[in-house]
Amino acid sequence: MTTVTVLHPGSMGAAVAGELVVGGHEVLWVPEDRSENTWRRARVAGATACGSLAEALSRSAVVLSVCPPQAAEDVAAAVAAHGFAGVYADVNAISPQRVRGIAEEIRPGSAVVDGAVFGQPPGEGRSTRLYLAGVGSAVDLVASLFTDSALYVCRVGDAPGSASALKMAFASYQKAARTLAGVAHALADAHGVGDHLTAEAEVMISAILSDPEYLPSVAARAWRWAPEMEEVADTLRAADLPTDMAEATARVLAYWEEDKDLYDVPLTRALSRLRSGRSTETGPDNKQGPSR
């Protein structure tokens, strides 16, 4: 049995805590300034309340930080202030840069593991992926907590940042795609064609993120797509809808303008265009966006 402090048991944190309890581990949490909903989730998960953070940390070999992204540094700072000397696992949706900053905050007292959760909260037949990156022995300890649980552990690197980078890459598509769907349906609804949009979408083959080999063909057509996205922005503006994402898409497409009608360029080239930090219309200092 390993004693683990979970900070703090929200919907995901409580589900993770529940998996730990089922696995035979002792899970602690700190109820100070927590809501009644948090109390309820912790009770259902089988976590044990501690009178203070200092008490929880003194009893724990591992701390799991599972909190809203904006609170990640505050949670880490509170743990660091107590000189915690175990394994600190940051399992939050934050950037690799922030994870590395947290690792510096926590050291030298403890080892830091970078974690990222994919999927819905585990349990009730749901299987969730937990990606881990960090020093081998620390990752081994965190991974061992979830043996035979509903969290499938995957290792992605030896240094904090890799797991969070994967999370950010995935979220950049997943969250933006759902937001774009909302904007698209709001625009269609404003013009009374919502049902037709849904019907058209039903015949689409959606394997966009899982098939990157198609991206050079997007680069080849970017010179036509960018002006179309400007038209989309104008249409959204007329319907009193946000234009930001359409305008941003047009700016990103401009990075591919040098690949006009070149359908056979390597995928690596198409991706490197986006990493170059410039488009044909930005100039070397990248201070201007594409012309309109």
Side-chain angles (χ1 to χ4, degrees), residues 6-286:
V6 174
L7 302 172
H8 296 278
S11 57
M12 179 63 75
V16 171
E19 291 297 314
L20 291 170
V21 171
V22 170
H25 304 290
E26 181 183 32
V27 176
L28 309 178
W29 75 291
V30 183
E32 183 178 5
D33 297 327
R34 298 294 111 189
S35 69
E36 179 56 37
N37 285 336
T38 305
W39 273 92
R40 177 183 52 78
R41 286 190 293 261
R43 285 196 300 269
V44 171
T48 301
C50 280
S52 67
L53 178 59
E55 177 192 350
L57 296 179
S58 69
R59 295 170 55 184
S60 298
V62 177
V63 169
L64 291 183
S65 174
V66 192
C67 64
Q70 60 270 28
E73 282 88 356
D74 290 341
V75 172
V79 172
H82 287 85
F84 178 64
V87 173
Y88 184 89
D90 188 292
V91 193
N92 299 309
I94 60 176
S95 70
Q97 305 91 289
R98 289 180 67 191
V99 170
R100 288 191 284 267
I102 285 171
E104 292 300 320
E105 175 87 28
I106 294 293
R107 290 173 182 155
S110 66
V112 175
V113 172
D114 172 27
V117 179
F118 284 68
Q120 295 181 320
E124 299 180 0
R126 295 185 297 270
S127 181
T128 306
R129 282 85 60 211
L130 174 62
Y131 288 84
L132 300 175
V135 177
S137 58
V139 171
D140 289 344
L141 176 55
V142 176
S144 71
L145 300 175
F146 299 103
T147 302
D148 297 326
S149 75
L151 276 89
Y152 176 73
V153 176
C154 308
R155 304 180 188 214
V156 292
D158 297 328
S162 300
S164 287
L166 177 62
K167 180 70 173 181
M168 292 296 97
F170 186 77
S172 70
Y173 173 80
Q174 181 198 36
K175 302 309 192 285
R178 283 157 175 74
T179 305
L180 282 171
V183 173
H185 280 284
L187 178 58
D189 183 69
H191 290 271
V193 292
D195 290 343
H196 295 284
L197 176 64
T198 300
E200 186 64 28
E202 287 174 347
V203 302
M204 293 176 61
I205 300 175
S206 181
I208 296 174
L209 191 60
S210 62
D211 182 23
E213 294 299 329
Y214 80 98
L215 288 172
S217 70
V218 175
R221 291 172 286 178
W223 67 278
R224 298 197 309 269
W225 286 12
E228 183 176 343
M229 293 310 299
E230 296 291 357
E231 295 298 319
V232 171
D234 288 341
T235 307
L236 291 166
R237 191 175 296 109
D240 294 325
L241 288 166
T243 63
D244 309 65
M245 299 182 83
E247 291 170 341
T249 301
R251 289 195 294 272
V252 172
L253 287 166
Y255 292 125
W256 279 323
E257 287 185 353
E258 291 184 16
D259 291 332
K260 177 180 178 179
D261 291 335
L262 300 177
Y263 287 86
D264 58 350
V265 302
L267 173 62
T268 53
R269 172 170 157 174
L271 297 181
S272 67
R273 293 282 196 208
L274 298 183
R275 290 196 297 270
S276 67
R278 57 182 292 187
S279 73
T280 55
E281 299 191 73
T282 60
D285 57 3
N286 194 31

